[in-house]
PDB file of all heavy atoms in Angstrom:
ATOM      1  N   LEU A 969     -84.289-103.402-192.630  1.00 95.00           N
ATOM      2  CA  LEU A 969     -84.469-103.279-194.081  1.00 95.00           C
ATOM      3  C   LEU A 969     -84.604-104.631-194.784  1.00 95.00           C
ATOM      4  O   LEU A 969     -85.355-104.746-195.739  1.00 95.00           O
ATOM      5  CB  LEU A 969     -83.295-102.510-194.720  1.00 95.00           C
ATOM      6  CG  LEU A 969     -83.308-101.010-194.671  1.00 95.00           C
ATOM      7  CD1 LEU A 969     -81.986-100.456-195.137  1.00 95.00           C
ATOM      8  CD2 LEU A 969     -84.435-100.434-195.514  1.00 95.00           C
ATOM      9  N   GLY A 970     -83.891-105.604-194.310  1.00 95.00           N
ATOM     10  CA  GLY A 970     -83.878-106.896-194.954  1.00 95.00           C
ATOM     11  C   GLY A 970     -83.309-106.816-196.338  1.00 95.00           C
ATOM     12  O   GLY A 970     -82.235-106.235-196.572  1.00 95.00           O
ATOM     13  N   ASP A 971     -84.033-107.375-197.334  1.00 94.00           N
ATOM     14  CA  ASP A 971     -83.572-107.348-198.697  1.00 94.00           C
ATOM     15  C   ASP A 971     -84.031-106.137-199.502  1.00 94.00           C
ATOM     16  O   ASP A 971     -83.803-106.011-200.694  1.00 94.00           O
ATOM     17  CB  ASP A 971     -84.058-108.601-199.452  1.00 94.00           C
ATOM     18  CG  ASP A 971     -83.382-109.872-198.939  1.00 94.00           C
ATOM     19  OD1 ASP A 971     -82.238-109.769-198.488  1.00 94.00           O
ATOM     20  OD2 ASP A 971     -83.989-110.933-199.041  1.00 94.00           O
ATOM     21  N   ARG A 972     -84.700-105.189-198.829  1.00 96.00           N
ATOM     22  CA  ARG A 972     -85.239-104.002-199.491  1.00 96.00           C
ATOM     23  C   ARG A 972     -84.149-102.980-199.771  1.00 96.00           C
ATOM     24  O   ARG A 972     -83.321-102.721-198.911  1.00 96.00           O
ATOM     25  CB  ARG A 972     -86.336-103.353-198.699  1.00 96.00           C
ATOM     26  CG  ARG A 972     -87.605-104.152-198.563  1.00 96.00           C
ATOM     27  CD  ARG A 972     -88.619-103.404-197.704  1.00 96.00           C
ATOM     28  NE  ARG A 972     -88.139-103.230-196.342  1.00 96.00           N
ATOM     29  CZ  ARG A 972     -88.695-102.435-195.433  1.00 96.00           C
ATOM     30  NH1 ARG A 972     -89.750-101.666-195.788  1.00 96.00           N
ATOM     31  NH2 ARG A 972     -88.266-102.397-194.191  1.00 96.00           N
ATOM     32  N   PRO A 973     -84.195-102.320-200.926  1.00 97.00           N
ATOM     33  CA  PRO A 973     -83.336-101.166-201.134  1.00 97.00           C
ATOM     34  C   PRO A 973     -83.949 -99.908-200.536  1.00 97.00           C
ATOM     35  O   PRO A 973     -85.122 -99.886-200.159  1.00 97.00           O
ATOM     36  CB  PRO A 973     -83.291-101.024-202.675  1.00 97.00           C
ATOM     37  CG  PRO A 973     -84.636-101.548-203.094  1.00 97.00           C
ATOM     38  CD  PRO A 973     -84.990-102.663-202.101  1.00 97.00           C
ATOM     39  N   ILE A 974     -83.160 -98.890-200.392  1.00 98.00           N
ATOM     40  CA  ILE A 974     -83.631 -97.553-200.039  1.00 98.00           C
ATOM     41  C   ILE A 974     -83.655 -96.734-201.348  1.00 98.00           C
ATOM     42  O   ILE A 974     -82.688 -96.717-202.091  1.00 98.00           O
ATOM     43  CB  ILE A 974     -82.696 -96.864-199.027  1.00 98.00           C
ATOM     44  CG1 ILE A 974     -82.613 -97.688-197.768  1.00 98.00           C
ATOM     45  CG2 ILE A 974     -83.150 -95.434-198.736  1.00 98.00           C
ATOM     46  CD1 ILE A 974     -81.453 -97.301-196.852  1.00 98.00           C
ATOM     47  N   VAL A 975     -84.766 -96.108-201.642  1.00 98.00           N
ATOM     48  CA  VAL A 975     -84.948 -95.331-202.850  1.00 98.00           C
ATOM     49  C   VAL A 975     -85.052 -93.858-202.485  1.00 98.00           C
ATOM     50  O   VAL A 975     -85.885 -93.446-201.645  1.00 98.00           O
ATOM     51  CB  VAL A 975     -86.166 -95.807-203.661  1.00 98.00           C
ATOM     52  CG1 VAL A 975     -86.442 -94.811-204.791  1.00 98.00           C
ATOM     53  CG2 VAL A 975     -85.945 -97.195-204.172  1.00 98.00           C
ATOM     54  N   ILE A 976     -84.209 -93.014-203.098  1.00 98.00           N
ATOM     55  CA  ILE A 976     -84.234 -91.576-202.899  1.00 98.00           C
ATOM     56  C   ILE A 976     -84.945 -90.895-204.052  1.00 98.00           C
ATOM     57  O   ILE A 976     -84.556 -91.092-205.213  1.00 98.00           O
ATOM     58  CB  ILE A 976     -82.799 -91.001-202.752  1.00 98.00           C
ATOM     59  CG1 ILE A 976     -81.949 -91.817-201.769  1.00 98.00           C
ATOM     60  CG2 ILE A 976     -82.850 -89.525-202.333  1.00 98.00           C
ATOM     61  CD1 ILE A 976     -82.398 -91.731-200.349  1.00 98.00           C
ATOM     62  N   VAL A 977     -85.992 -90.138-203.741  1.00 97.00           N
ATOM     63  CA  VAL A 977     -86.718 -89.379-204.776  1.00 97.00           C
ATOM     64  C   VAL A 977     -86.713 -87.893-204.494  1.00 97.00           C
ATOM     65  O   VAL A 977     -86.389 -87.473-203.367  1.00 97.00           O
ATOM     66  CB  VAL A 977     -88.171 -89.922-204.897  1.00 97.00           C
ATOM     67  CG1 VAL A 977     -88.242 -91.401-205.149  1.00 97.00           C
ATOM     68  CG2 VAL A 977     -88.985 -89.564-203.647  1.00 97.00           C
ATOM     69  N   GLY A 978     -87.016 -87.122-205.491  1.00 95.00           N
ATOM     70  CA  GLY A 978     -87.062 -85.660-205.323  1.00 95.00           C
ATOM     71  C   GLY A 978     -86.747 -84.974-206.649  1.00 95.00           C
ATOM     72  O   GLY A 978     -86.369 -85.578-207.631  1.00 95.00           O
ATOM     73  N   MET A 979     -86.869 -83.666-206.614  1.00 93.00           N
ATOM     74  CA  MET A 979     -86.610 -82.831-207.798  1.00 93.00           C
ATOM     75  C   MET A 979     -85.129 -82.864-208.201  1.00 93.00           C
ATOM     76  O   MET A 979     -84.265 -83.100-207.403  1.00 93.00           O
ATOM     77  CB  MET A 979     -87.049 -81.398-207.529  1.00 93.00           C
ATOM     78  CG  MET A 979     -88.522 -81.162-207.467  1.00 93.00           C
ATOM     79  SD  MET A 979     -89.340 -81.385-209.062  1.00 93.00           S
ATOM     80  CE  MET A 979     -88.504 -80.110-210.047  1.00 93.00           C
ATOM     81  N   MET A 980     -84.902 -82.516-209.452  1.00 87.00           N
ATOM     82  CA  MET A 980     -83.528 -82.271-209.895  1.00 87.00           C
ATOM     83  C   MET A 980     -82.938 -81.143-209.043  1.00 87.00           C
ATOM     84  O   MET A 980     -83.597 -80.174-208.755  1.00 87.00           O
ATOM     85  CB  MET A 980     -83.493 -81.876-211.380  1.00 87.00           C
ATOM     86  CG  MET A 980     -84.200 -80.559-211.673  1.00 87.00           C
ATOM     87  SD  MET A 980     -84.259 -80.136-213.442  1.00 87.00           S
ATOM     88  CE  MET A 980     -85.760 -80.891-213.932  1.00 87.00           C
ATOM     89  N   GLY A 981     -81.743 -81.389-208.520  1.00 88.00           N
ATOM     90  CA  GLY A 981     -81.097 -80.412-207.647  1.00 88.00           C
ATOM     91  C   GLY A 981     -81.376 -80.632-206.189  1.00 88.00           C
ATOM     92  O   GLY A 981     -80.859 -79.891-205.348  1.00 88.00           O
ATOM     93  N   ALA A 982     -82.178 -81.640-205.856  1.00 92.00           N
ATOM     94  CA  ALA A 982     -82.443 -81.904-204.445  1.00 92.00           C
ATOM     95  C   ALA A 982     -81.301 -82.550-203.685  1.00 92.00           C
ATOM     96  O   ALA A 982     -81.264 -82.560-202.453  1.00 92.00           O
ATOM     97  CB  ALA A 982     -83.708 -82.815-204.302  1.00 92.00           C
ATOM     98  N   GLY A 983     -80.317 -83.072-204.432  1.00 92.00           N
ATOM     99  CA  GLY A 983     -79.148 -83.693-203.792  1.00 92.00           C
ATOM    100  C   GLY A 983     -79.259 -85.202-203.685  1.00 92.00           C
ATOM    101  O   GLY A 983     -78.590 -85.812-202.854  1.00 92.00           O
ATOM    102  N   LYS A 984     -80.085 -85.818-204.531  1.00 94.00           N
ATOM    103  CA  LYS A 984     -80.340 -87.236-204.406  1.00 94.00           C
ATOM    104  C   LYS A 984     -79.077 -88.080-204.538  1.00 94.00           C
ATOM    105  O   LYS A 984     -78.911 -89.024-203.777  1.00 94.00           O
ATOM    106  CB  LYS A 984     -81.378 -87.676-205.417  1.00 94.00           C
ATOM    107  CG  LYS A 984     -82.742 -86.992-205.292  1.00 94.00           C
ATOM    108  CD  LYS A 984     -83.756 -87.519-206.284  1.00 94.00           C
ATOM    109  CE  LYS A 984     -83.359 -87.307-207.717  1.00 94.00           C
ATOM    110  NZ  LYS A 984     -83.366 -85.867-208.091  1.00 94.00           N
ATOM    111  N   SER A 985     -78.247 -87.725-205.509  1.00 92.00           N
ATOM    112  CA  SER A 985     -77.041 -88.529-205.722  1.00 92.00           C
ATOM    113  C   SER A 985     -76.005 -88.319-204.620  1.00 92.00           C
ATOM    114  O   SER A 985     -75.425 -89.268-204.103  1.00 92.00           O
ATOM    115  CB  SER A 985     -76.418 -88.210-207.097  1.00 92.00           C
ATOM    116  OG  SER A 985     -77.250 -88.652-208.128  1.00 92.00           O
ATOM    117  N   SER A 986     -75.748 -87.050-204.285  1.00 93.00           N
ATOM    118  CA  SER A 986     -74.710 -86.751-203.279  1.00 93.00           C
ATOM    119  C   SER A 986     -75.138 -87.301-201.916  1.00 93.00           C
ATOM    120  O   SER A 986     -74.327 -87.888-201.156  1.00 93.00           O
ATOM    121  CB  SER A 986     -74.448 -85.264-203.219  1.00 93.00           C
ATOM    122  OG  SER A 986     -75.608 -84.518-203.003  1.00 93.00           O
ATOM    123  N   ILE A 987     -76.428 -87.124-201.541  1.00 96.00           N
ATOM    124  CA  ILE A 987     -76.871 -87.623-200.232  1.00 96.00           C
ATOM    125  C   ILE A 987     -77.005 -89.129-200.303  1.00 96.00           C
ATOM    126  O   ILE A 987     -76.670 -89.828-199.333  1.00 96.00           O
ATOM    127  CB  ILE A 987     -78.230 -86.963-199.852  1.00 96.00           C
ATOM    128  CG1 ILE A 987     -78.038 -85.427-199.703  1.00 96.00           C
ATOM    129  CG2 ILE A 987     -78.755 -87.591-198.580  1.00 96.00           C
ATOM    130  CD1 ILE A 987     -76.988 -85.019-198.697  1.00 96.00           C
ATOM    131  N   GLY A 988     -77.557 -89.635-201.386  1.00 96.00           N
ATOM    132  CA  GLY A 988     -77.678 -91.086-201.488  1.00 96.00           C
ATOM    133  C   GLY A 988     -76.356 -91.807-201.399  1.00 96.00           C
ATOM    134  O   GLY A 988     -76.302 -92.867-200.723  1.00 96.00           O
ATOM    135  N   ARG A 989     -75.353 -91.268-202.028  1.00 96.00           N
ATOM    136  CA  ARG A 989     -74.028 -91.923-201.984  1.00 96.00           C
ATOM    137  C   ARG A 989     -73.491 -91.924-200.531  1.00 96.00           C
ATOM    138  O   ARG A 989     -72.967 -92.959-200.073  1.00 96.00           O
ATOM    139  CB  ARG A 989     -73.052 -91.155-202.883  1.00 96.00           C
ATOM    140  CG  ARG A 989     -71.694 -91.793-203.014  1.00 96.00           C
ATOM    141  CD  ARG A 989     -70.861 -91.100-204.085  1.00 96.00           C
ATOM    142  NE  ARG A 989     -71.356 -91.401-205.445  1.00 96.00           N
ATOM    143  CZ  ARG A 989     -72.026 -90.547-206.201  1.00 96.00           C
ATOM    144  NH1 ARG A 989     -72.294 -89.312-205.735  1.00 96.00           N
ATOM    145  NH2 ARG A 989     -72.408 -90.894-207.385  1.00 96.00           N
ATOM    146  N   ARG A 990     -73.673 -90.854-199.825  1.00 96.00           N
ATOM    147  CA  ARG A 990     -73.181 -90.759-198.437  1.00 96.00           C
ATOM    148  C   ARG A 990     -74.039 -91.633-197.491  1.00 96.00           C
ATOM    149  O   ARG A 990     -73.508 -92.197-196.531  1.00 96.00           O
ATOM    150  CB  ARG A 990     -73.145 -89.313-197.999  1.00 96.00           C
ATOM    151  CG  ARG A 990     -72.029 -88.543-198.640  1.00 96.00           C
ATOM    152  CD  ARG A 990     -72.206 -87.050-198.467  1.00 96.00           C
ATOM    153  NE  ARG A 990     -71.050 -86.290-198.972  1.00 96.00           N
ATOM    154  CZ  ARG A 990     -70.808 -85.996-200.235  1.00 96.00           C
ATOM    155  NH1 ARG A 990     -71.714 -86.385-201.122  1.00 96.00           N
ATOM    156  NH2 ARG A 990     -69.769 -85.314-200.625  1.00 96.00           N
ATOM    157  N   LEU A 991     -75.321 -91.684-197.740  1.00 97.00           N
ATOM    158  CA  LEU A 991     -76.195 -92.558-196.978  1.00 97.00           C
ATOM    159  C   LEU A 991     -75.788 -94.041-197.141  1.00 97.00           C
ATOM    160  O   LEU A 991     -75.766 -94.806-196.185  1.00 97.00           O
ATOM    161  CB  LEU A 991     -77.654 -92.352-197.350  1.00 97.00           C
ATOM    162  CG  LEU A 991     -78.695 -93.225-196.617  1.00 97.00           C
ATOM    163  CD1 LEU A 991     -78.684 -92.881-195.119  1.00 97.00           C
ATOM    164  CD2 LEU A 991     -80.100 -92.948-197.212  1.00 97.00           C
ATOM    165  N   ALA A 992     -75.483 -94.378-198.372  1.00 96.00           N
ATOM    166  CA  ALA A 992     -75.018 -95.749-198.648  1.00 96.00           C
ATOM    167  C   ALA A 992     -73.728 -96.073-197.903  1.00 96.00           C
ATOM    168  O   ALA A 992     -73.571 -97.131-197.331  1.00 96.00           O
ATOM    169  CB  ALA A 992     -74.801 -95.931-200.154  1.00 96.00           C
ATOM    170  N   GLN A 993     -72.807 -95.077-197.866  1.00 95.00           N
ATOM    171  CA  GLN A 993     -71.555 -95.275-197.136  1.00 95.00           C
ATOM    172  C   GLN A 993     -71.839 -95.458-195.650  1.00 95.00           C
ATOM    173  O   GLN A 993     -71.245 -96.324-194.995  1.00 95.00           O
ATOM    174  CB  GLN A 993     -70.622 -94.132-197.363  1.00 95.00           C
ATOM    175  CG  GLN A 993     -70.049 -94.033-198.774  1.00 95.00           C
ATOM    176  CD  GLN A 993     -69.278 -92.766-199.037  1.00 95.00           C
ATOM    177  OE1 GLN A 993     -69.304 -91.829-198.246  1.00 95.00           O
ATOM    178  NE2 GLN A 993     -68.486 -92.772-200.094  1.00 95.00           N
ATOM    179  N   ALA A 994     -72.769 -94.690-195.103  1.00 95.00           N
ATOM    180  CA  ALA A 994     -73.079 -94.774-193.659  1.00 95.00           C
ATOM    181  C   ALA A 994     -73.621 -96.162-193.343  1.00 95.00           C
ATOM    182  O   ALA A 994     -73.360 -96.728-192.258  1.00 95.00           O
ATOM    183  CB  ALA A 994     -74.063 -93.669-193.272  1.00 95.00           C
ATOM    184  N   LEU A 995     -74.445 -96.679-194.254  1.00 95.00           N
ATOM    185  CA  LEU A 995     -75.102 -97.990-194.026  1.00 95.00           C
ATOM    186  C   LEU A 995     -74.249 -99.177-194.558  1.00 95.00           C
ATOM    187  O   LEU A 995     -74.680-100.316-194.447  1.00 95.00           O
ATOM    188  CB  LEU A 995     -76.480 -98.009-194.697  1.00 95.00           C
ATOM    189  CG  LEU A 995     -77.528 -97.063-194.072  1.00 95.00           C
ATOM    190  CD1 LEU A 995     -78.721 -96.889-195.010  1.00 95.00           C
ATOM    191  CD2 LEU A 995     -77.958 -97.612-192.709  1.00 95.00           C
ATOM    192  N   GLU A 996     -73.108 -98.827-195.170  1.00 94.00           N
ATOM    193  CA  GLU A 996     -72.233 -99.857-195.765  1.00 94.00           C
ATOM    194  C   GLU A 996     -72.960-100.625-196.809  1.00 94.00           C
ATOM    195  O   GLU A 996     -72.918-101.878-196.871  1.00 94.00           O
ATOM    196  CB  GLU A 996     -71.645-100.749-194.688  1.00 94.00           C
ATOM    197  CG  GLU A 996     -70.763-100.004-193.695  1.00 94.00           C
ATOM    198  CD  GLU A 996     -70.121-100.879-192.590  1.00 94.00           C
ATOM    199  OE1 GLU A 996     -70.447-102.080-192.578  1.00 94.00           O
ATOM    200  OE2 GLU A 996     -69.344-100.361-191.809  1.00 94.00           O
ATOM    201  N   LEU A 997     -73.684 -99.891-197.708  1.00 96.00           N
ATOM    202  CA  LEU A 997     -74.390-100.490-198.803  1.00 96.00           C
ATOM    203  C   LEU A 997     -73.853 -99.922-200.118  1.00 96.00           C
ATOM    204  O   LEU A 997     -73.137 -98.920-200.128  1.00 96.00           O
ATOM    205  CB  LEU A 997     -75.884-100.141-198.720  1.00 96.00           C
ATOM    206  CG  LEU A 997     -76.665-100.723-197.527  1.00 96.00           C
ATOM    207  CD1 LEU A 997     -78.098-100.186-197.509  1.00 96.00           C
ATOM    208  CD2 LEU A 997     -76.687-102.274-197.606  1.00 96.00           C
ATOM    209  N   THR A 998     -74.197-100.562-201.250  1.00 96.00           N
ATOM    210  CA  THR A 998     -73.847-100.063-202.563  1.00 96.00           C
ATOM    211  C   THR A 998     -74.806 -98.939-202.942  1.00 96.00           C
ATOM    212  O   THR A 998     -75.952 -98.948-202.593  1.00 96.00           O
ATOM    213  CB  THR A 998     -73.923-101.209-203.583  1.00 96.00           C
ATOM    214  OG1 THR A 998     -73.004-102.218-203.223  1.00 96.00           O
ATOM    215  CG2 THR A 998     -73.651-100.687-204.981  1.00 96.00           C
ATOM    216  N   PHE A 999     -74.255 -97.949-203.648  1.00 97.00           N
ATOM    217  CA  PHE A 999     -75.092 -96.859-204.185  1.00 97.00           C
ATOM    218  C   PHE A 999     -75.225 -96.987-205.692  1.00 97.00           C
ATOM    219  O   PHE A 999     -74.271 -97.271-206.396  1.00 97.00           O
ATOM    220  CB  PHE A 999     -74.440 -95.511-203.856  1.00 97.00           C
ATOM    221  CG  PHE A 999     -75.146 -94.342-204.550  1.00 97.00           C
ATOM    222  CD1 PHE A 999     -76.382 -93.915-204.103  1.00 97.00           C
ATOM    223  CD2 PHE A 999     -74.584 -93.757-205.684  1.00 97.00           C
ATOM    224  CE1 PHE A 999     -77.048 -92.859-204.765  1.00 97.00           C
ATOM    225  CE2 PHE A 999     -75.258 -92.728-206.338  1.00 97.00           C
ATOM    226  CZ  PHE A 999     -76.460 -92.258-205.883  1.00 97.00           C
ATOM    227  N   VAL A1000     -76.444 -96.777-206.187  1.00 96.00           N
ATOM    228  CA  VAL A1000     -76.710 -96.795-207.627  1.00 96.00           C
ATOM    229  C   VAL A1000     -77.524 -95.552-208.032  1.00 96.00           C
ATOM    230  O   VAL A1000     -78.531 -95.233-207.360  1.00 96.00           O
ATOM    231  CB  VAL A1000     -77.510 -98.067-208.004  1.00 96.00           C
ATOM    232  CG1 VAL A1000     -77.723 -98.081-209.534  1.00 96.00           C
ATOM    233  CG2 VAL A1000     -76.778 -99.302-207.545  1.00 96.00           C
ATOM    234  N   ASP A1001     -77.111 -94.886-209.069  1.00 95.00           N
ATOM    235  CA  ASP A1001     -77.859 -93.783-209.608  1.00 95.00           C
ATOM    236  C   ASP A1001     -78.638 -94.318-210.856  1.00 95.00           C
ATOM    237  O   ASP A1001     -77.986 -94.796-211.803  1.00 95.00           O
ATOM    238  CB  ASP A1001     -76.908 -92.635-210.022  1.00 95.00           C
ATOM    239  CG  ASP A1001     -77.629 -91.389-210.496  1.00 95.00           C
ATOM    240  OD1 ASP A1001     -78.586 -91.522-211.280  1.00 95.00           O
ATOM    241  OD2 ASP A1001     -77.267 -90.290-210.073  1.00 95.00           O
ATOM    242  N   SER A1002     -79.940 -94.251-210.848  1.00 93.00           N
ATOM    243  CA  SER A1002     -80.712 -94.829-211.953  1.00 93.00           C
ATOM    244  C   SER A1002     -80.411 -94.149-213.301  1.00 93.00           C
ATOM    245  O   SER A1002     -80.409 -94.798-214.322  1.00 93.00           O
ATOM    246  CB  SER A1002     -82.210 -94.791-211.657  1.00 93.00           C
ATOM    247  OG  SER A1002     -82.707 -93.461-211.646  1.00 93.00           O
ATOM    248  N   ASP A1003     -80.131 -92.846-213.246  1.00 90.00           N
ATOM    249  CA  ASP A1003     -79.818 -92.156-214.482  1.00 90.00           C
ATOM    250  C   ASP A1003     -78.542 -92.718-215.130  1.00 90.00           C
ATOM    251  O   ASP A1003     -78.458 -92.867-216.332  1.00 90.00           O
ATOM    252  CB  ASP A1003     -79.633 -90.659-214.244  1.00 90.00           C
ATOM    253  CG  ASP A1003     -80.971 -89.945-214.109  1.00 90.00           C
ATOM    254  OD1 ASP A1003     -82.032 -90.547-214.380  1.00 90.00           O
ATOM    255  OD2 ASP A1003     -80.943 -88.740-213.747  1.00 90.00           O
ATOM    256  N   ASP A1004     -77.549 -93.040-214.281  1.00 93.00           N
ATOM    257  CA  ASP A1004     -76.306 -93.627-214.815  1.00 93.00           C
ATOM    258  C   ASP A1004     -76.582 -94.992-215.418  1.00 93.00           C
ATOM    259  O   ASP A1004     -76.017 -95.348-216.466  1.00 93.00           O
ATOM    260  CB  ASP A1004     -75.285 -93.763-213.685  1.00 93.00           C
ATOM    261  CG  ASP A1004     -74.682 -92.403-213.253  1.00 93.00           C
ATOM    262  OD1 ASP A1004     -74.860 -91.431-213.977  1.00 93.00           O
ATOM    263  OD2 ASP A1004     -74.082 -92.365-212.182  1.00 93.00           O
ATOM    264  N   GLU A1005     -77.446 -95.770-214.779  1.00 93.00           N
ATOM    265  CA  GLU A1005     -77.787 -97.111-215.304  1.00 93.00           C
ATOM    266  C   GLU A1005     -78.547 -96.993-216.608  1.00 93.00           C
ATOM    267  O   GLU A1005     -78.380 -97.822-217.505  1.00 93.00           O
ATOM    268  CB  GLU A1005     -78.606 -97.839-214.280  1.00 93.00           C
ATOM    269  CG  GLU A1005     -77.858 -98.165-212.999  1.00 93.00           C
ATOM    270  CD  GLU A1005     -76.620 -99.010-213.220  1.00 93.00           C
ATOM    271  OE1 GLU A1005     -76.763-100.089-213.851  1.00 93.00           O
ATOM    272  OE2 GLU A1005     -75.523 -98.575-212.799  1.00 93.00           O
ATOM    273  N   ILE A1006     -79.392 -95.976-216.738  1.00 91.00           N
ATOM    274  CA  ILE A1006     -80.114 -95.745-218.012  1.00 91.00           C
ATOM    275  C   ILE A1006     -79.144 -95.421-219.134  1.00 91.00           C
ATOM    276  O   ILE A1006     -79.236 -95.947-220.251  1.00 91.00           O
ATOM    277  CB  ILE A1006     -81.154 -94.627-217.843  1.00 91.00           C
ATOM    278  CG1 ILE A1006     -82.297 -95.091-216.907  1.00 91.00           C
ATOM    279  CG2 ILE A1006     -81.748 -94.221-219.186  1.00 91.00           C
ATOM    280  CD1 ILE A1006     -83.102 -93.908-216.385  1.00 91.00           C
ATOM    281  N   GLU A1007     -78.160 -94.586-218.831  1.00 92.00           N
ATOM    282  CA  GLU A1007     -77.167 -94.213-219.824  1.00 92.00           C
ATOM    283  C   GLU A1007     -76.344 -95.432-220.278  1.00 92.00           C
ATOM    284  O   GLU A1007     -76.012 -95.604-221.450  1.00 92.00           O
ATOM    285  CB  GLU A1007     -76.268 -93.117-219.306  1.00 92.00           C
ATOM    286  CG  GLU A1007     -76.972 -91.779-219.126  1.00 92.00           C
ATOM    287  CD  GLU A1007     -76.054 -90.640-218.695  1.00 92.00           C
ATOM    288  OE1 GLU A1007     -75.002 -90.941-218.108  1.00 92.00           O
ATOM    289  OE2 GLU A1007     -76.406 -89.488-218.987  1.00 92.00           O
ATOM    290  N   LYS A1008     -75.999 -96.291-219.314  1.00 92.00           N
ATOM    291  CA  LYS A1008     -75.261 -97.510-219.648  1.00 92.00           C
ATOM    292  C   LYS A1008     -76.075 -98.400-220.576  1.00 92.00           C
ATOM    293  O   LYS A1008     -75.593 -98.966-221.522  1.00 92.00           O
ATOM    294  CB  LYS A1008     -74.894 -98.289-218.376  1.00 92.00           C
ATOM    295  CG  LYS A1008     -73.857 -97.625-217.512  1.00 92.00           C
ATOM    296  CD  LYS A1008     -73.597 -98.511-216.268  1.00 92.00           C
ATOM    297  CE  LYS A1008     -72.653 -97.815-215.313  1.00 92.00           C
ATOM    298  NZ  LYS A1008     -72.478 -98.671-214.074  1.00 92.00           N
ATOM    299  N   ALA A1009     -77.352 -98.565-220.216  1.00 89.00           N
ATOM    300  CA  ALA A1009     -78.222 -99.465-221.022  1.00 89.00           C
ATOM    301  C   ALA A1009     -78.441 -98.952-222.419  1.00 89.00           C
ATOM    302  O   ALA A1009     -78.477 -99.743-223.390  1.00 89.00           O
ATOM    303  CB  ALA A1009     -79.595 -99.626-220.303  1.00 89.00           C
ATOM    304  N   ALA A1010     -78.523 -97.652-222.539  1.00 89.00           N
ATOM    305  CA  ALA A1010     -78.776 -97.054-223.881  1.00 89.00           C
ATOM    306  C   ALA A1010     -77.499 -96.725-224.660  1.00 89.00           C
ATOM    307  O   ALA A1010     -77.550 -96.464-225.839  1.00 89.00           O
ATOM    308  CB  ALA A1010     -79.591 -95.778-223.736  1.00 89.00           C
ATOM    309  N   ASN A1011     -76.360 -96.709-223.930  1.00 92.00           N
ATOM    310  CA  ASN A1011     -75.099 -96.302-224.520  1.00 92.00           C
ATOM    311  C   ASN A1011     -75.197 -94.854-225.078  1.00 92.00           C
ATOM    312  O   ASN A1011     -74.572 -94.560-226.099  1.00 92.00           O
ATOM    313  CB  ASN A1011     -74.618 -97.255-225.594  1.00 92.00           C
ATOM    314  CG  ASN A1011     -73.124 -97.131-225.911  1.00 92.00           C
ATOM    315  OD1 ASN A1011     -72.363 -96.750-225.010  1.00 92.00           O
ATOM    316  ND2 ASN A1011     -72.748 -97.414-227.113  1.00 92.00           N
ATOM    317  N   LEU A1012     -75.995 -94.054-224.400  1.00 91.00           N
ATOM    318  CA  LEU A1012     -76.159 -92.662-224.733  1.00 91.00           C
ATOM    319  C   LEU A1012     -76.304 -91.864-223.441  1.00 91.00           C
ATOM    320  O   LEU A1012     -76.737 -92.400-222.432  1.00 91.00           O
ATOM    321  CB  LEU A1012     -77.449 -92.452-225.559  1.00 91.00           C
ATOM    322  CG  LEU A1012     -77.537 -93.084-226.979  1.00 91.00           C
ATOM    323  CD1 LEU A1012     -78.977 -92.993-227.474  1.00 91.00           C
ATOM    324  CD2 LEU A1012     -76.604 -92.350-227.935  1.00 91.00           C
ATOM    325  N   THR A1013     -75.996 -90.569-223.512  1.00 89.00           N
ATOM    326  CA  THR A1013     -76.266 -89.734-222.334  1.00 89.00           C
ATOM    327  C   THR A1013     -77.781 -89.410-222.314  1.00 89.00           C
ATOM    328  O   THR A1013     -78.461 -89.545-223.330  1.00 89.00           O
ATOM    329  CB  THR A1013     -75.484 -88.386-222.401  1.00 89.00           C
ATOM    330  OG1 THR A1013     -75.991 -87.640-223.497  1.00 89.00           O
ATOM    331  CG2 THR A1013     -73.991 -88.657-222.561  1.00 89.00           C
TER     332      THR A1013
END
């Protein structure tokens, strides 16, 4: 992978966050949910 991130895409309900978080744990990487980051940036849900 080098410096590249892994990006999980798919429909709402596909399990992107739950699977992404566990994939990150398996690879010993940090997990980030873009929706959470958008909410932080906007200070709104």
Side-chain angles (χ1 to χ4, degrees):
L969 277 171
D971 290 332
R972 291 179 295 167
I974 299 165
V975 171
I976 311 293
V977 304
M979 287 293 298
M980 63 183 91
K984 299 183 298 293
S985 293
S986 55
I987 298 303
R989 186 173 288 106
R990 288 166 173 81
L991 180 62
Q993 291 174 345
L995 292 165
E996 299 181 355
L997 295 174
T998 298
F999 171 75
V1000 182
D1001 186 316
S1002 68
D1003 282 351
D1004 289 345
E1005 295 300 307
I1006 292 164
E1007 291 184 336
K1008 289 179 187 176
N1011 199 29
L1012 294 168
T1013 67

